[in-house]
Amino acid sequence: QVQLVESGGGLVQAGGSRTLSCAVSPFTLDNYNIGWFRQAPGKEREGVSCISRSDNTTYIVSSVKGRFTISRDSAKNTIYLHMNNLEPEDTAVYYCGAGFSSIYYMCDASTPPVYYWGQGTQVTVSS
């Protein structure tokens, strides 16, 4: 059973930083590509950043490039999303997801091809 649990959300001022964590069940990082996604009120869920299971290749979508990074701690079975210079437009529920597709397709697809989702964590950026 694949499980993903996000944490680290909260209220942050514009220009601030936040790191989200996605703790996954054992062996998940060996078998699945992992991505961070977000869904703002009234909008579709969209990819933010994805990381490959095989060689740790990462992909960041253009809207957050230069501000967000993704990293992995295999010993802790955890994927992180480091968010800097946050903007009110970054306000959303952030989810992590596991899937088999390439990280580029996983993050760019209009309907993310994700097999397993976490429950999400709210990030609110105040202006």
Side-chain angles (χ1 to χ4, degrees), residues 18-34:
R18 200 83 176 183
T19 294
L20 306 181
S21 300
C22 174
V24 304
S25 48
F27 310 112
T28 299
L29 298 184
D30 294 328
N31 296 318
Y32 295 89
N33 294 330
I34 305 294

Side-chain angles (χ1 to χ4, degrees), residues 33-80:
N33 294 330
I34 305 294
W36 280 100
F37 305 82
R38 66 186 181 184
Q39 188 165 16
K43 294 189 175 181
E44 297 292 318
R45 193 171 299 188
E46 62 178 4
V48 176
S49 184
C50 295
I51 187 166
S52 168
R53 65 178 174 86
S54 60
D55 59 4
N56 278 344
T57 300
T58 63
Y59 175 64
I60 309 281
V61 300
S62 58
S63 60
V64 301
K65 203 166 190 177
R67 301 189 297 121
F68 291 14
T69 57
I70 190 171
S71 67
R72 161 181 171 158
D73 186 334
S74 297
K76 295 183 178 180
N77 289 315
T78 301
I79 299 290
Y80 301 98

Side-chain angles (χ1 to χ4, degrees), residues 45-125:
R45 193 171 299 188
E46 62 178 4
V48 176
S49 184
C50 295
I51 187 166
S52 168
R53 65 178 174 86
S54 60
D55 59 4
N56 278 344
T57 300
T58 63
Y59 175 64
I60 309 281
V61 300
S62 58
S63 60
V64 301
K65 203 166 190 177
R67 301 189 297 121
F68 291 14
T69 57
I70 190 171
S71 67
R72 161 181 171 158
D73 186 334
S74 297
K76 295 183 178 180
N77 289 315
T78 301
I79 299 290
Y80 301 98
L81 183 68
H82 309 278
M83 306 184 294
N84 297 310
N85 195 20
L86 283 159
E87 303 170 352
E89 293 73 22
D90 296 316
T91 295
V93 179
Y94 284 72
Y95 300 88
C96 57
F100 294 113
S101 298
S102 81
I103 59 172
Y104 309 102
Y105 182 64
M106 181 186 278
C107 259
D108 281 344
S110 56
T111 302
V114 168
Y115 277 73
Y116 300 99
W117 290 103
Q119 84 288 350
T121 186
Q122 175 73 46
V123 174
T124 302
V125 184

